[in-house]
Amino acid sequence: MSLGEYEKHWKSVVSQSVCDYFFEAQEKAADVENVPPVISTPHHYLISIYRDKLFFVSVIQTEVPPLFVIEFLHRVADTFQDYFGECSEAAIKDNVVIVYELLEEMLDNGFPLATESNILKELIKPPTILRSVVNSITGSSNVGDTLPTGQLSNIPWRRAGVKYTNNEAYFDVVEEIDAIIDKSGSTVFAEIQGVIDACIKLSGMPDLSLSFMNPRLLDDVSFHPCIRFKRWESERVLSFIPPDGNFRLISYRVSSQNLVAIPVYVKHSISFKENSSCGRFDITIGPKQNMGKTIEAITVTVHMPKVVLNMNLTPTQGSYTFDPVTKVLTWDVGKITPQKLPSLKGLVNLQSGAPKPEENPSLNIQFKIQQLAISGLKVNRLDMYGEKYKPFKGVKYVTKAGKFQVRT
Amino acid sequence: MTDSKYFTTTKKGEIFELKAELNSDKKEKKKEAVKKVIASMTVGKDVSALFPDVVNCMQTDNLELKKLVYLYLMNYAKSQPDMAIMAVNTFVKDCEDPNPLIRALAVRTMGCIRVDKITEYLCEPLRKCLKDEDPYVRKTAAVCVAKLHDINAQLVEDQGFLDTLKDLISDSNPMVVANAVAALSEIAESHPSSNLLDLNPQSINKLLTALNECTEWGQIFILDCLANYTPKDDREAQSICERVTPRLSHANSAVVLSAVKVLMKFMEMLSKDLDYYGTLLKKLAPPLVTLLSAEPELQYVALRNINLIVQKRPEVLKHEMKVFFVKYNDPIYVKLEKLDIMIRLASQANIAQVLAELKEYATEVDVDFVRKAVRAIGRCAIKVEQSAERCVSTLLDLIQTKVNYVVQEAIVVIKDIFRKYPNKYESVIATLCENLDSLDEPEARAAMIWIVGEYAERIDNADELLESFLEGFHDESTQVQLQLLTAIVKLFLKKPTETQELVQQVLSLATQDSDNPDLRDRGYIYWRLLSTDPVAAKEVVLAEKPLISEETDLIEPTLLDELICYIGTLASVYHKPPSAFVEGGRGVVHKSLPPRTASSESTESPETAPAGAPPGEQLDTVPTQGDLLGDLLNLDLGPPVSGPPLATSAVQMGAVDLLGGGLDSLMGDEPEGIGAPSFVAPPAAAVPANLGAPMGSGLSDLFDLTSGVGTLSGSYVAPKAVWLPAMKAKGLEISGTFTRQAGSISMDLQLTNKALQVMTDFAIQFNRNSFGLAPAAPLQVHAPLSPTQTVEISLPLSTAGSVMKTEPLNSLQVAVKNNIDVFYFSTLYPLHILFVEDGKMDRQVFLATWKDIPNENEAQFQIRDCPLNAEAVSSRLQSSSIFTVARRNVEGQDMLYQSLKLTNGIWVLAELRIQPGNPSFTLSLKCRAPEVSQHVYQAYETILKN
């Protein structure tokens, strides 16, 4: 496996030259995001992911499920993120020995070993400024010398002996709306991708039950391994002993069209005149099905056609930028006040003599609504068993735009 | 303080400095030094010189330091095997450490040191660790067995580790079970025949129990292992399915897909009437759809698998069309896959939505994607009859955009629509004709010409249109030339009076002025047909065309069934069975779906339901993908079966001069014509004397027989190899090889009787294969074969057998019968036995063909360690019927341009680059059937290296 220019071998050593095939594919794909994730070379297969502007490439010699490899690579990136606060070339370079130690703990002979952050942190302590200072004074090490307790128990995701003075359990219900809206404003496709992320800081071995007001909404779910599937099947209650710290409890999908509300609408008119070097651009955003909440942090991104040289626009609120190289127009709108709907209009300058663009640009909308799960999902209650103390509990809801695209 | 400081040490004296630090008394300094060494190692610097110093740091109670030293050891032990021995004692000691973490670490690291001498010392500690009281150590040791097996398989078997590993499947700890399964699966991969994972209901039960409790990765190993099991009946299949379905809700997509594989496979055994079957179908859809909201890389793999699943069981996702709608910021590889699945799911119910989407895509920016979208519209029209009209009007709208590549793509698909629905949409022809001038791609030009020829009677100025193409005839690609020739002949047959001159012109262009044998052949066929028997010409050329199949790129059912067993693997991403791409074909077992059991379905006998698919479903489409034969006459000459009743409206035939004699018979009165046919033979220069030979005798002998000098000497013959060992065939051993001499192929066999009884009544049969190889005579063993006797037989082969594409292309399955039993074996034949002796292409034709074959069809290979020079190469290849058409010297390199032809008419063009003094040659192959390139390359290797 190689990280940019870092490599680690688990079985026999594979020559670095195999990466040339990858670089070749990378060159061929105009955009880094279009590099195919599975590439075959005469003797190996290269499976890669692209994350945080880094490629993680693994070299495969025998038949291995590609999803297995891709999932693992994402897990490696997650771990770096978790350990170093960011997954970047600089972070990896600064911590190269830890990276090497981590990789060694995560994989053995092609078999994943410890990939749970809870366990890894017991084996290898994450770097902190304080710790490295202490270490260099006392000569102690940042490698644990006892067997991680979770490794072999029935709950491998939780370490033993967790202690907190403030016991807290917080849940974030985050829903993203993926949608394609056609020219006329009707919904071609819409679904909600939801997750419940948890931040659990509870002492001992708490056993939690989370129930919902309307569990029927959740018919397509993916669970963290800690959830007892049988309980869910029979009672529609999430029952689990949580890992310590931050983790994703469930992810779910709501697709039935009538349940997916579309909180904004966009009025648009983008036109290019035949045989003229200019066009008109006019978009307005307004609220729709927003359940009475404020829609904020709106941004509109548009990939304009190649022949567009520049744009001369006036926003009624917020600010816009147009990058003449990438042809990307970004309008940072802010929030919608229904009394005065935000709009952006003006002229588009085209390359003179070029034919009028065929394709109409799609509008990519981002927004956020606090205190609302657009699907209507509501947590009913959280109960804790197995420990005596009373924890602080909290649930937060937020709805965002996912891949939200308006065709023009 | 970050680790980046380790990279900043100056080059000069770096090693020396490190050495000093490593030998320091201070623990902390030592550790820092080892860290620096590791950092240098990861970026590829050579720090092997420090080996003894680093190993000295190994004896420490500091776990971090120990780990770092272990990391170093794993990396460099191979280059310093003698030094590595020094470390053995510490390893053995560590394997006895009271701390299980250290025991496990030691055994894990030892397994990674790939030095033979070390492996001997590893056995004892490993044996202990496999029985360790701590499950953490046991599970680590299980993996170590797989590592050791990779280094020295024999040792592992001799030491009985495999049995210990099998015992671990019954371990009380689920993680140990999972690792044992993983290790056994890996070992079994290199031992396909061994019964390592001998699964029975008891062990399955243990696996299912462990499945619920082990880590996500362990679940994948267990599920993949379960997928290889064949339940004894549908009840067992159902109970396994019930216990696997909860995995569909797992957050790890690899777990989900492995579970899908198990379910898809075992569903095969369930009766469709069962309630449970329906429940299962419903449960499969949501997890598959969920995979599509994951990261794009995961989506890609998921989509490739979904593509297989919807071909096998379209009902699973038939209501989920919308999730495959393309988002404009999807990576291109995701877009293309989604499009493919959209077409597969298109039906009358959702076609309106699909079309609206496709039309949207056709205005996007990415050219490849737009083209595919336009094609998709055409495919929808062909698939869903009710939508055809709407599709055609959508295509017309797109043509109006005048975007060049959109127009061309649209015309290509409209041609297919015309073929599927003849005489329905001709009203659009006028619009198509308006765009004639903008077509610059051969495929689009050919499609347009086909349309004009096919509907010549309705296009008033068809002759003018076709004539306009004729002007630049020689600049057109072969595809267009062939199409033009046929179209004009069609036109002539439909409107004989006005187009005589035109047809004469094209025939003479094709036969006299062209160097392309395909074109000449076709020209002669038409010419002769028209002059001798115009009735037949009409029957042949204007025959009703076979309908094109609804879906053009369906995977062949048997391959599909095999691929379903490989869901989630690389095979599923490439849509090829592992045998087609796994290195050396090592350990490839063909998998097949379990047969449906009869217990609940007594009405359906196993024969009528192979692999469980309802017989009806398999028949209604003909996959055209595997059509290797390269359809010489392109699409316009359907098989001359039952032509339409002859039109009797042929008028004024008498006026036709050139072809007059023959054409008279169109009237049907005198089949012989009037006396001697007045056929004007083409100039003798172009046609050798044997023009009068019956057509069936092969038009190829019209050309250039003499050029194949020295071909009679015969091509390279590989030494005989054992094909069927005696132990597999009750004492009959068969070895053999293939030869080609003077144009005839034979299989040289050596039969040895290693049994104690006499063998008689030999017979041989081949399975259908890619090139139609078949015995040309029965297998003749004259006298009975007595024990220990050997007989040599040369079996002549023909290529007239029935054709079925095999995988790999050159595999041949053979059945040999004698008085004892029937035995089967399969072998690979070298492709060069199929190189025909008249495979020398004319230089001009070569040049044109090379340009004409699209670049995607070009494959490049390296031939290494070949000491020959260009002349020797050329003459050696020539004796195996690979002909050097031209030779050039470019910047000191010899470029050989070569051609060869296979028995089924496929031409392969080659460019061989030879640098004097460099034993590596570069071989570029171009062929219209690129599947053969790999095998042709192998033939080059074989011929040049022997």
Side-chain angles (χ1 to χ4, degrees), chain A residues 47-65:
Chain A
I47 298 183
S48 64
I49 63 164
Y50 181 68
R51 259 187 62 167
D52 303 312
K53 303 207 169 97
L54 289 176
F55 279 105
F56 293 75
V57 185
S58 63
V59 182
I60 308 297
Q61 267 169 311
T62 51
E63 173 68 271
V64 184

Side-chain angles (χ1 to χ4, degrees), chain B residues 778-930:
Chain B
L779 182 67
Q780 298 199 325
V781 183
H782 293 295
L785 197 58
S786 35
T788 72
Q789 199 190 344
T790 296
V791 61
E792 306 251 354
I793 301 154
S794 180
L795 178 72
L797 304 184
S798 77
T799 51
S802 39
V803 174
M804 183 187 74
K805 193 180 178 189
T806 58
E807 200 57 64
L809 208 55
N810 60 338
S811 85
L812 180 67
Q813 293 175 328
V814 182
V816 171
K817 180 188 97 68
N818 62 10
N819 57 327
I820 302 169
D821 206 346
V822 184
F823 311 106
Y824 303 92
F825 63 90
S826 88
T827 177
L828 299 175
Y829 46 87
L831 214 64
H832 66 257
I833 61 163
L834 301 170
F835 297 173
V836 297
E837 284 71 12
D838 62 344
K840 182 161 186 175
M841 210 180 231
D842 180 275
R843 286 175 83 142
Q844 296 302 320
V845 181
F846 182 94
L847 220 64
T849 317
W850 183 272
K851 281 189 200 146
D852 193 36
I853 298 178
N855 280 336
E856 320 66 283
N857 284 16
E858 180 167 346
Q860 211 173 60
F861 303 94
Q862 293 290 331
I863 299 174
R864 292 180 210 285
D865 306 325
C866 183
L868 304 174
N869 64 14
E871 281 81 28
V873 165
S874 181
S875 74
R876 187 174 287 193
L877 290 172
Q878 173 138 340
S879 59
S880 290
S881 297
I882 300 176
F883 300 97
T884 304
V885 175
R887 185 176 160 186
R888 249 177 354 131
N889 193 293
V890 182
E891 293 162 4
Q893 299 184 351
D894 278 314
M895 313 285 278
L896 297 181
Y897 296 92
Q898 301 177 316
S899 73
L900 62 95
K901 188 164 98 174
L902 300 178
T903 46
N904 59 2
I906 293 178
W907 284 92
V908 180
L909 279 59
E911 178 199 86
L912 189 61
R913 193 186 314 150
I914 301 174
Q915 229 169 352
N918 181 351
S920 282
F921 304 164
T922 309
L923 175 67
S924 306
L925 294 176
K926 263 191 159 184
C927 177
R928 293 196 194 279

Side-chain angles (χ1 to χ4, degrees), chain A residues 5-8 10-13 33-40 42-43 45 47-50 60 62-68 70-72 74-75 93-98 100-101 104-105 108-113 115-116 123-124 132 135-136 139-148 151-154 156 178 180 183 187-189 191 193 219-225 229 233 253 257 301 303 306 358-360 362 364 403 405 407-408, chain B residues 1-4 6-7 28 31 35 38-39 41-43 62-64 67-68 71 74-75 99-101 108 112 114 134-136 139-140 143 146-147 150 173-175 182-183 186 189 213 215-217 220-221 224 246 248-254 257 283 286-287 289-291 293 295 297-302 320 322-323 325-333 357 360-361 363-365 401 403 568-571 573-574 578 581-583 586:
Chain A
E5 52 199 287
Y6 308 98
E7 52 185 278
K8 162 127 184 66
W10 276 271
K11 286 191 175 178
S12 49
V13 175
E33 268 145 31
N34 287 338
V35 179
V38 185
I39 299 170
S40 74
H43 302 284
Y45 288 87
I47 298 183
S48 64
I49 63 164
Y50 181 68
I60 308 297
T62 51
E63 173 68 271
V64 184
L67 276 189
F68 181 109
I70 294 172
E71 278 278 359
F72 180 80
H74 276 294
R75 215 58 68 83
K93 205 166 177 177
D94 285 350
N95 298 287
V96 71
V97 176
I98 293 192
Y100 216 71
E101 288 173 335
E104 185 60 26
E105 286 306 334
D108 179 23
N109 193 45
F111 303 137
L113 278 179
T115 51
E116 288 286 340
L123 288 167
I124 299 159
S132 47
N135 283 356
S136 55
S140 75
S141 108
N142 61 348
V143 169
D145 57 1
T146 50
L147 195 58
Q151 270 279 43
L152 284 162
S153 70
N154 289 338
D178 285 354
I180 302 175
K183 283 185 191 52
T187 308
V188 176
F189 161 83
E191 66 177 22
Q193 304 288 348
D219 61 345
D220 182 3
V221 268
S222 299
F223 291 142
H224 188 277
F229 190 74
E233 285 271 274
R253 189 173 66 92
Q257 200 85 231
T301 324
H303 278 260
K306 280 197 193 72
E358 275 314 322
E359 74 270 16
N360 268 328
S362 274
N364 193 15
K403 285 187 167 176
Q405 160 187 357
R407 292 177 179 158
T408 62
Chain B
M1 278 226 308
T2 68
D3 291 352
S4 53
Y6 302 130
F7 295 105
E28 199 46 38
K31 198 165 85 188
K35 277 193 178 179
I38 300 278
M41 187 177 89
T42 53
V43 290
N62 182 314
L63 193 63
E64 186 183 17
K67 277 190 174 179
L68 290 171
L71 284 178
M74 279 188 254
N75 212 11
N99 183 344
L101 198 60
R108 187 169 119 206
C112 294
R114 305 174 62 87
D134 194 302
Y136 182 74
K139 88 174 183 135
T140 314
V143 175
K147 294 182 198 168
D150 190 40
N173 185 293
M175 250 68 81
E186 187 180 301
E189 227 174 75
E213 290 167 13
T215 66
E216 48 197 315
W217 313 107
I220 301 169
F221 292 123
D224 286 346
L248 293 176
S249 301
H250 203 286
N252 185 319
S253 58
L257 205 55
K283 282 193 172 165
V289 173
T290 301
L291 293 180
S293 50
E295 289 81 359
E297 301 92 4
L298 295 167
Q299 281 186 46
Y300 171 72
V301 177
E320 301 288 349
K322 285 189 173 179
V323 298
F325 284 0
V326 172
K327 295 177 184 122
Y328 85 104
N329 45 4
D330 282 335
I332 182 74
Y333 56 83
E357 279 297 299
E360 194 68 43
Y361 305 159
T363 61
E364 280 219 26
V365 197
T401 64
V403 177
T569 66
L570 280 171
V573 174
Y574 283 96
F581 61 87
V582 169
E583 283 259 291
R586 171 181 87 127

Side-chain angles (χ1 to χ4, degrees), chain B residues 392-458:
Chain B
V392 171
S393 80
T394 308
L395 288 169
L396 283 179
D397 287 351
L398 290 172
I399 289 177
Q400 300 303 352
T401 64
K402 305 272 176 204
V403 177
N404 192 278
Y405 54 85
V406 173
V407 174
Q408 311 213 38
E409 244 1 278
I411 286 181
V412 172
V413 294
I414 286 181
K415 176 207 70 193
D416 284 341
I417 296 177
F418 281 178
R419 281 205 65 190
K420 169 85 183 186
Y421 310 110
N423 306 319
K424 242 180 144 175
Y425 299 108
E426 285 70 43
S427 51
V428 309
I429 291 177
T431 321
L432 302 186
C433 290
E434 285 165 19
N435 291 286
L436 217 60
D437 299 334
S438 65
L439 308 180
D440 54 9
E441 290 163 22
E443 207 184 348
R445 285 173 83 84
M448 192 64 220
I449 293 170
W450 181 86
I451 292 171
V452 175
E454 188 66 17
Y455 296 101
E457 67 273 31
R458 305 179 198 201

Side-chain angles (χ1 to χ4, degrees), chain B residues 33-81:
Chain B
V34 176
K35 277 193 178 179
K36 280 186 208 166
V37 173
I38 300 278
S40 309
M41 187 177 89
T42 53
V43 290
K45 281 188 204 162
D46 182 12
V47 283
S48 59
L50 296 166
F51 201 91
D53 308 282
V54 176
V55 169
N56 271 338
C57 302
M58 193 170 160
Q59 300 251 20
T60 170
D61 43 8
N62 182 314
L63 193 63
E64 186 183 17
L65 186 55
K66 197 180 246 335
K67 277 190 174 179
L68 290 171
V69 176
Y70 278 3
L71 284 178
Y72 178 89
L73 267 174
M74 279 188 254
N75 212 11
Y76 284 118
K78 188 109 196 171
S79 56
Q80 311 264 346

Side-chain angles (χ1 to χ4, degrees), chain B residues 448-469:
Chain B
M448 192 64 220
I449 293 170
W450 181 86
I451 292 171
V452 175
E454 188 66 17
Y455 296 101
E457 67 273 31
R458 305 179 198 201
I459 305 174
D460 293 337
N461 60 344
D463 48 344
E464 282 169 36
L465 293 176
L466 292 176
E467 200 171 355
S468 69
F469 280 103

Side-chain angles (χ1 to χ4, degrees), chain B residues 169-323:
Chain B
I169 290 191
S170 316
D171 198 281
S172 57
N173 185 293
M175 250 68 81
V176 179
V177 177
N179 277 15
V181 168
L184 281 172
S185 306
E186 187 180 301
I187 295 171
E189 227 174 75
S190 55
H191 278 261
S193 50
S194 70
N195 239 345
L196 275 181
L197 281 161
D198 187 17
L199 298 174
N200 52 48
Q202 288 76 41
S203 56
I204 288 291
N205 200 27
K206 283 189 183 117
L207 291 184
L208 286 168
T209 312
L211 180 63
N212 286 329
E213 290 167 13
C214 66
T215 66
E216 48 197 315
W217 313 107
Q219 293 183 11
I220 301 169
F221 292 123
I222 292 181
L223 287 167
D224 286 346
C225 175
L226 279 176
N228 290 329
Y229 176 65
T230 308
K232 60 180 192 306
D233 56 26
D234 55 343
R235 265 183 220 103
E236 195 188 1
Q238 179 174 345
S239 88
I240 294 175
C241 287
E242 279 165 1
R243 294 177 71 176
V244 166
T245 29
R247 298 301 121 207
L248 293 176
S249 301
H250 203 286
N252 185 319
S253 58
V255 175
V256 174
L257 205 55
S258 289
V260 169
K261 166 165 58 190
V262 175
L263 297 175
M264 280 293 286
K265 201 176 162 191
F266 289 6
M267 257 172 111
E268 210 45 57
M269 298 183 66
L270 302 177
S271 154
K272 287 195 172 173
D273 313 326
L274 221 58
D275 284 346
Y276 183 70
Y277 181 87
T279 320
L280 207 51
L281 269 186
K282 272 194 213 114
K283 282 193 172 165
L284 276 174
L288 288 173
V289 173
T290 301
L291 293 180
L292 298 182
S293 50
E295 289 81 359
E297 301 92 4
L298 295 167
Q299 281 186 46
Y300 171 72
V301 177
L303 285 165
R304 291 295 285 172
N305 280 284
I306 288 173
N307 201 327
L308 294 174
I309 292 168
V310 295
Q311 284 185 62
K312 180 73 191 164
R313 296 193 188 283
E315 61 273 32
V316 174
L317 288 166
K318 67 176 174 207
H319 299 304
E320 301 288 349
M321 172 61 91
K322 285 189 173 179
V323 298

